[in-house]
Short mmCIF file of all heavy atoms in Angstrom, two decimals:
data_model
loop_
_atom_site.label_atom_id
_atom_site.label_comp_id
_atom_site.label_asym_id
_atom_site.label_seq_id
_atom_site.Cartn_x
_atom_site.Cartn_y
_atom_site.Cartn_z
N LYS L 1 0.84 -1.20 0.00
CA LYS L 1 0.00 0.00 0.00
C LYS L 1 0.87 1.25 0.00
O LYS L 1 1.78 1.40 0.83
CB LYS L 1 -0.91 -0.02 1.23
CG LYS L 1 -2.01 1.04 1.23
CD LYS L 1 -2.94 0.80 2.42
CE LYS L 1 -4.13 1.75 2.41
NZ LYS L 1 -5.05 1.48 3.55
N LEU L 2 0.60 2.14 -0.95
CA LEU L 2 1.48 3.29 -1.14
C LEU L 2 1.43 4.27 0.02
O LEU L 2 2.46 4.79 0.46
CB LEU L 2 1.10 4.01 -2.44
CG LEU L 2 1.25 3.20 -3.73
CD1 LEU L 2 0.79 4.03 -4.92
CD2 LEU L 2 2.69 2.74 -3.92
N VAL L 3 0.21 4.55 0.51
CA VAL L 3 0.05 5.54 1.57
C VAL L 3 -0.90 4.97 2.63
O VAL L 3 -2.10 4.84 2.38
CB VAL L 3 -0.53 6.87 1.03
CG1 VAL L 3 -0.64 7.89 2.16
CG2 VAL L 3 0.33 7.42 -0.10
N PRO L 4 -0.41 4.63 3.81
CA PRO L 4 -1.31 4.23 4.88
C PRO L 4 -2.28 5.37 5.20
O PRO L 4 -1.90 6.55 5.21
CB PRO L 4 -0.37 3.95 6.06
CG PRO L 4 0.95 3.67 5.42
CD PRO L 4 1.00 4.54 4.20
N THR L 5 -3.52 5.03 5.48
CA THR L 5 -4.57 6.02 5.64
C THR L 5 -4.72 6.46 7.10
O THR L 5 -4.90 5.63 7.98
CB THR L 5 -5.92 5.45 5.15
OG1 THR L 5 -5.77 4.99 3.81
CG2 THR L 5 -7.01 6.49 5.22
N TRP L 6 -4.58 7.76 7.32
CA TRP L 6 -4.93 8.38 8.60
C TRP L 6 -4.19 7.69 9.74
O TRP L 6 -2.98 7.71 9.79
CB TRP L 6 -6.45 8.33 8.78
CG TRP L 6 -7.03 9.39 9.70
CD1 TRP L 6 -6.34 10.20 10.53
CD2 TRP L 6 -8.40 9.70 9.85
NE1 TRP L 6 -7.21 11.02 11.20
CE2 TRP L 6 -8.48 10.74 10.82
CE3 TRP L 6 -9.59 9.23 9.29
CZ2 TRP L 6 -9.70 11.29 11.23
CZ3 TRP L 6 -10.80 9.79 9.70
CH2 TRP L 6 -10.85 10.81 10.65
N ALA L 7 -4.90 7.05 10.68
CA ALA L 7 -4.27 6.45 11.85
C ALA L 7 -3.37 5.27 11.50
O ALA L 7 -2.54 4.85 12.31
CB ALA L 7 -5.34 6.01 12.84
N GLU L 8 -3.51 4.72 10.29
CA GLU L 8 -2.69 3.58 9.87
C GLU L 8 -1.21 3.93 9.79
O GLU L 8 -0.35 3.04 9.80
CB GLU L 8 -3.18 3.08 8.51
CG GLU L 8 -4.57 2.51 8.53
CD GLU L 8 -5.11 2.19 7.15
OE1 GLU L 8 -4.39 2.43 6.15
OE2 GLU L 8 -6.25 1.69 7.06
N LYS L 9 -0.91 5.22 9.71
CA LYS L 9 0.50 5.64 9.63
C LYS L 9 1.28 5.27 10.89
O LYS L 9 2.51 5.26 10.89
CB LYS L 9 0.58 7.14 9.37
CG LYS L 9 0.06 7.55 7.99
CD LYS L 9 0.13 9.06 7.79
CE LYS L 9 -0.27 9.44 6.38
NZ LYS L 9 -1.69 9.19 6.09
N LEU L 10 0.58 4.96 11.99
CA LEU L 10 1.24 4.51 13.20
C LEU L 10 1.75 3.07 13.06
O LEU L 10 2.54 2.61 13.90
CB LEU L 10 0.27 4.58 14.39
CG LEU L 10 -0.11 5.99 14.85
CD1 LEU L 10 -1.27 5.93 15.83
CD2 LEU L 10 1.09 6.66 15.51
N THR L 11 1.33 2.37 12.03
CA THR L 11 1.68 0.95 11.89
C THR L 11 2.49 0.66 10.64
O THR L 11 3.52 -0.03 10.72
CB THR L 11 0.41 0.08 11.88
OG1 THR L 11 -0.22 0.17 13.16
CG2 THR L 11 0.73 -1.38 11.57
N TRP L 12 2.08 1.16 9.48
CA TRP L 12 2.64 0.68 8.23
C TRP L 12 3.60 1.66 7.57
O TRP L 12 3.40 2.88 7.60
CB TRP L 12 1.52 0.35 7.23
CG TRP L 12 0.69 -0.82 7.66
CD1 TRP L 12 1.12 -2.01 8.16
CD2 TRP L 12 -0.75 -0.88 7.66
NE1 TRP L 12 0.06 -2.83 8.45
CE2 TRP L 12 -1.10 -2.17 8.16
CE3 TRP L 12 -1.75 -0.01 7.27
CZ2 TRP L 12 -2.43 -2.58 8.28
CZ3 TRP L 12 -3.07 -0.41 7.39
CH2 TRP L 12 -3.41 -1.68 7.89
N THR L 13 4.62 1.09 6.94
CA THR L 13 5.52 1.83 6.06
C THR L 13 4.94 1.82 4.65
O THR L 13 4.40 0.80 4.21
CB THR L 13 6.91 1.16 6.06
OG1 THR L 13 7.46 1.22 7.38
CG2 THR L 13 7.86 1.83 5.09
N GLY L 14 5.05 2.92 3.93
CA GLY L 14 4.50 2.99 2.58
C GLY L 14 5.34 2.22 1.58
O GLY L 14 6.56 2.10 1.71
N GLY L 15 4.68 1.70 0.55
CA GLY L 15 5.37 0.99 -0.52
C GLY L 15 5.89 1.94 -1.58
O GLY L 15 5.94 3.16 -1.38
N ASP L 16 6.30 1.39 -2.73
CA ASP L 16 6.79 2.22 -3.83
C ASP L 16 6.06 1.86 -5.12
O ASP L 16 5.22 0.97 -5.15
CB ASP L 16 8.31 2.09 -3.99
CG ASP L 16 8.77 0.67 -4.23
OD1 ASP L 16 8.13 -0.05 -5.01
OD2 ASP L 16 9.80 0.26 -3.64
N GLY L 17 6.41 2.58 -6.19
CA GLY L 17 5.69 2.41 -7.44
C GLY L 17 6.01 1.15 -8.21
O GLY L 17 5.37 0.86 -9.23
N SER L 18 6.99 0.38 -7.73
CA SER L 18 7.38 -0.82 -8.49
C SER L 18 6.28 -1.87 -8.54
O SER L 18 6.29 -2.73 -9.42
CB SER L 18 8.65 -1.42 -7.88
OG SER L 18 8.40 -1.92 -6.58
N SER L 19 5.34 -1.82 -7.59
CA SER L 19 4.31 -2.86 -7.55
C SER L 19 3.00 -2.43 -8.19
O SER L 19 2.01 -3.18 -8.13
CB SER L 19 4.07 -3.30 -6.10
OG SER L 19 3.57 -2.23 -5.33
N LEU L 20 2.97 -1.24 -8.79
CA LEU L 20 1.76 -0.81 -9.50
C LEU L 20 1.74 -1.45 -10.88
O LEU L 20 1.96 -0.79 -11.90
CB LEU L 20 1.71 0.72 -9.61
CG LEU L 20 1.24 1.47 -8.38
CD1 LEU L 20 1.35 2.98 -8.63
CD2 LEU L 20 -0.21 1.11 -8.04
N ARG L 21 1.48 -2.74 -10.91
CA ARG L 21 1.56 -3.52 -12.15
C ARG L 21 0.29 -4.34 -12.35
O ARG L 21 -0.32 -4.81 -11.39
CB ARG L 21 2.78 -4.46 -12.12
CG ARG L 21 4.11 -3.73 -12.23
CD ARG L 21 5.29 -4.67 -12.17
NE ARG L 21 6.54 -3.95 -12.37
CZ ARG L 21 7.16 -3.83 -13.55
NH1 ARG L 21 6.64 -4.40 -14.62
NH2 ARG L 21 8.29 -3.16 -13.65
N VAL L 22 -0.06 -4.50 -13.60
CA VAL L 22 -1.16 -5.38 -13.99
C VAL L 22 -0.55 -6.71 -14.40
O VAL L 22 0.44 -6.75 -15.14
CB VAL L 22 -1.98 -4.76 -15.13
CG1 VAL L 22 -2.99 -5.75 -15.67
CG2 VAL L 22 -2.68 -3.49 -14.63
N HIS L 23 -1.14 -7.78 -13.92
CA HIS L 23 -0.58 -9.11 -14.13
C HIS L 23 -1.38 -9.91 -15.15
O HIS L 23 -2.61 -9.99 -15.05
CB HIS L 23 -0.54 -9.88 -12.81
CG HIS L 23 0.16 -9.15 -11.71
ND1 HIS L 23 1.53 -8.97 -11.69
CD2 HIS L 23 -0.32 -8.51 -10.62
CE1 HIS L 23 1.86 -8.28 -10.62
NE2 HIS L 23 0.76 -7.99 -9.96
N PRO L 24 -0.70 -10.49 -16.14
CA PRO L 24 -1.40 -11.37 -17.08
C PRO L 24 -1.74 -12.68 -16.38
O PRO L 24 -0.86 -13.34 -15.81
CB PRO L 24 -0.39 -11.58 -18.20
CG PRO L 24 0.95 -11.36 -17.55
CD PRO L 24 0.74 -10.37 -16.45
N THR L 25 -3.00 -13.05 -16.37
CA THR L 25 -3.43 -14.30 -15.74
C THR L 25 -4.40 -15.01 -16.68
O THR L 25 -4.87 -14.44 -17.68
CB THR L 25 -4.15 -14.06 -14.40
OG1 THR L 25 -5.43 -13.48 -14.65
CG2 THR L 25 -3.34 -13.13 -13.50
N GLY L 26 -4.74 -16.23 -16.32
CA GLY L 26 -5.69 -16.99 -17.13
C GLY L 26 -7.08 -16.40 -17.15
O GLY L 26 -7.87 -16.69 -18.06
N ILE L 27 -7.39 -15.55 -16.15
CA ILE L 27 -8.72 -14.92 -16.12
C ILE L 27 -8.68 -13.49 -16.66
O ILE L 27 -9.67 -12.76 -16.59
CB ILE L 27 -9.34 -14.97 -14.71
CG1 ILE L 27 -8.39 -14.40 -13.63
CG2 ILE L 27 -9.70 -16.40 -14.35
CD1 ILE L 27 -8.54 -12.96 -13.34
N GLY L 28 -7.54 -13.08 -17.22
CA GLY L 28 -7.42 -11.76 -17.82
C GLY L 28 -6.44 -10.88 -17.09
O GLY L 28 -5.88 -11.26 -16.05
N PRO L 29 -6.19 -9.66 -17.60
CA PRO L 29 -5.25 -8.73 -16.97
C PRO L 29 -5.81 -8.23 -15.63
O PRO L 29 -6.87 -7.61 -15.58
CB PRO L 29 -5.15 -7.59 -17.99
CG PRO L 29 -5.70 -8.14 -19.27
CD PRO L 29 -6.73 -9.14 -18.88
N LEU L 30 -5.06 -8.49 -14.56
CA LEU L 30 -5.55 -8.28 -13.19
C LEU L 30 -4.72 -7.24 -12.47
O LEU L 30 -3.49 -7.33 -12.43
CB LEU L 30 -5.50 -9.62 -12.43
CG LEU L 30 -5.81 -9.60 -10.94
CD1 LEU L 30 -7.27 -9.25 -10.69
CD2 LEU L 30 -5.48 -10.96 -10.31
N GLY L 31 -5.39 -6.26 -11.88
CA GLY L 31 -4.74 -5.26 -11.04
C GLY L 31 -5.30 -5.28 -9.64
O GLY L 31 -6.45 -5.70 -9.43
N VAL L 32 -4.52 -4.76 -8.68
CA VAL L 32 -4.88 -4.87 -7.26
C VAL L 32 -4.58 -3.56 -6.55
O VAL L 32 -3.50 -2.98 -6.75
CB VAL L 32 -4.07 -6.01 -6.60
CG1 VAL L 32 -4.32 -6.03 -5.10
CG2 VAL L 32 -4.40 -7.35 -7.20
N LEU L 33 -5.52 -3.10 -5.72
CA LEU L 33 -5.27 -1.96 -4.83
C LEU L 33 -5.90 -2.25 -3.48
O LEU L 33 -6.89 -2.99 -3.38
CB LEU L 33 -5.84 -0.66 -5.40
CG LEU L 33 -5.16 -0.07 -6.63
CD1 LEU L 33 -5.92 1.16 -7.12
CD2 LEU L 33 -3.69 0.27 -6.36
N ALA L 34 -5.35 -1.62 -2.42
CA ALA L 34 -5.82 -1.84 -1.06
C ALA L 34 -6.58 -0.62 -0.56
O ALA L 34 -6.05 0.49 -0.55
CB ALA L 34 -4.64 -2.13 -0.13
N CYS L 35 -7.82 -0.84 -0.18
CA CYS L 35 -8.65 0.10 0.56
C CYS L 35 -8.60 1.53 0.00
O CYS L 35 -9.03 1.77 -1.12
CB CYS L 35 -8.25 0.07 2.03
SG CYS L 35 -9.52 0.68 3.17
N GLY L 36 -8.03 2.47 0.76
CA GLY L 36 -8.05 3.87 0.36
C GLY L 36 -7.35 4.15 -0.95
O GLY L 36 -7.59 5.20 -1.57
N GLU L 37 -6.47 3.25 -1.41
CA GLU L 37 -5.84 3.44 -2.72
C GLU L 37 -6.87 3.49 -3.84
O GLU L 37 -6.60 4.06 -4.90
CB GLU L 37 -4.85 2.31 -3.01
CG GLU L 37 -3.64 2.31 -2.11
CD GLU L 37 -2.65 1.24 -2.51
OE1 GLU L 37 -3.05 0.08 -2.72
OE2 GLU L 37 -1.46 1.57 -2.63
#
């Protein structure tokens, strides 16, 4: 998750842009984001 939301900043370190990727899978091109993203 790139930016922890609000009070979550007390727990999590932010990620980077390297994981903003769409993955080719058997069910089609798949992308993923967490909650506030």
